[in-house]
Amino acid sequence: MLAHPGVSEADKERLRDLLGASDPVTLFTGIRVAQEELGKRVDRRDLNSTPEEPVAIDLQRFAASLKTAWQAGETRPTHRRPYRRTKPYPKRPSMFEPYEAQIKAWLEAEPAIPAATVLQRLMDADPARFRTRSLRMVQRLVKVWRADVMGRIILDGDWIKRVHAYPSAAEGEIARSITTPGNILR
């Protein structure tokens, strides 16, 4: 409005003075009271009732209620409903799907194989598709596949039969190793 050429310079100066002297809390309180009054008037349409007296504004109470009003379920005029996606997320085919059987075979043959070795083997198989920057994705996939195998072993119930004891060469103690696919030996 201050940039509009149709507004006189005296009106622009008066608006600048009002803007400089206005308190934001008072402004928000006035807006809130006006919105409440408008809502009451809409609710009273077609009723022969007398309008209520304007409510006295208590700035201290209003400012204090700003911090806790949301806990009581009050929504402010600026409240928006959270976005909820209604469409399913599109699923792009994974670049690892054609090699999934091969990766699982490698993990079954060598349960302790690192993800970097899996990536190196994939890069040897298809250098155009796989690069060193794919390491984090391979680590995530190997972790998921190992967790899946371990979950099936634990839920199977006979996992205790698969535990073998053998003497450790370094310490002479009994070490336990689960000799099933997907185990991470560290």
Side-chain angles (χ1 to χ4, degrees), residues 1-18:
M1 185 147 175
L2 294 175
H4 194 275
V7 178
S8 69
E9 200 54 44
D11 289 337
K12 288 181 183 180
E13 191 59 37
R14 197 168 17 146
L15 285 172
R16 284 188 195 104
D17 291 340
L18 283 172

Side-chain angles (χ1 to χ4, degrees), residues 19 21-31 59 62:
L19 183 62
S22 64
D23 180 24
V25 174
T26 306
L27 178 65
F28 288 134
T29 305
I31 291 171
L59 292 178
F62 173 74

Side-chain angles (χ1 to χ4, degrees), residues 164-183:
H164 300 286
Y166 62 91
S168 173
E171 302 174 12
E173 298 177 2
I174 301 295
R176 294 192 178 264
S177 169
I178 299 178
T179 58
T180 55
N183 188 27

Side-chain angles (χ1 to χ4, degrees), residues 28 31-32 35 66 74-82:
F28 288 134
I31 291 171
R32 184 176 181 195
Q35 288 173 336
L66 287 176
E74 181 179 342
T75 57
R76 302 289 176 173
T78 57
H79 173 75
R80 292 188 180 156
R81 186 175 42 163

Side-chain angles (χ1 to χ4, degrees), residues 7-158:
V7 178
S8 69
E9 200 54 44
D11 289 337
K12 288 181 183 180
E13 191 59 37
R14 197 168 17 146
L15 285 172
R16 284 188 195 104
D17 291 340
L18 283 172
L19 183 62
S22 64
D23 180 24
V25 174
T26 306
L27 178 65
F28 288 134
T29 305
I31 291 171
R32 184 176 181 195
V33 168
Q35 288 173 336
E36 287 176 4
E37 178 63 29
L38 180 62
K40 289 177 185 175
R41 287 182 184 191
V42 168
D43 290 343
R44 288 192 311 248
R45 272 186 299 184
D46 298 329
L47 297 177
N48 294 327
S49 62
T50 59
E52 295 178 10
E53 292 295 320
V55 179
I57 300 171
D58 183 10
L59 292 178
Q60 297 296 331
R61 196 179 110 241
F62 173 74
S65 74
L66 287 176
K67 295 180 184 176
T68 59
W70 63 273
Q71 294 171 341
E74 181 179 342
T75 57
R76 302 289 176 173
T78 57
H79 173 75
R80 292 188 180 156
R81 186 175 42 163
Y83 175 74
R84 291 191 180 102
R85 184 178 178 93
T86 55
K87 297 179 181 178
Y89 287 100
K91 183 176 185 255
R92 293 179 19 198
S94 172
M95 62 189 269
F96 298 100
E97 283 181 14
Y99 299 94
E100 187 172 339
Q102 181 63 45
I103 294 171
K104 287 183 179 182
W106 291 336
L107 291 173
E108 288 176 10
E110 301 174 64
I113 188 172
T117 305
V118 172
L119 178 61
Q120 185 59 47
R121 290 180 182 177
L122 289 171
M123 287 171 34
D124 293 342
D126 192 354
R129 180 180 285 203
F130 299 104
R131 306 213 188 289
T132 55
R133 66 176 181 223
S134 304
L135 178 62
R136 182 66 184 127
M137 182 57 77
V138 172
Q139 288 172 336
R140 289 181 192 152
L141 291 173
V142 168
K143 181 179 178 180
V144 167
W145 289 326
R146 284 181 175 156
D148 180 51
V149 170
M150 285 297 110
R152 282 188 274 126
I153 289 171
I154 291 170
L155 292 176
D156 188 22
D158 66 342

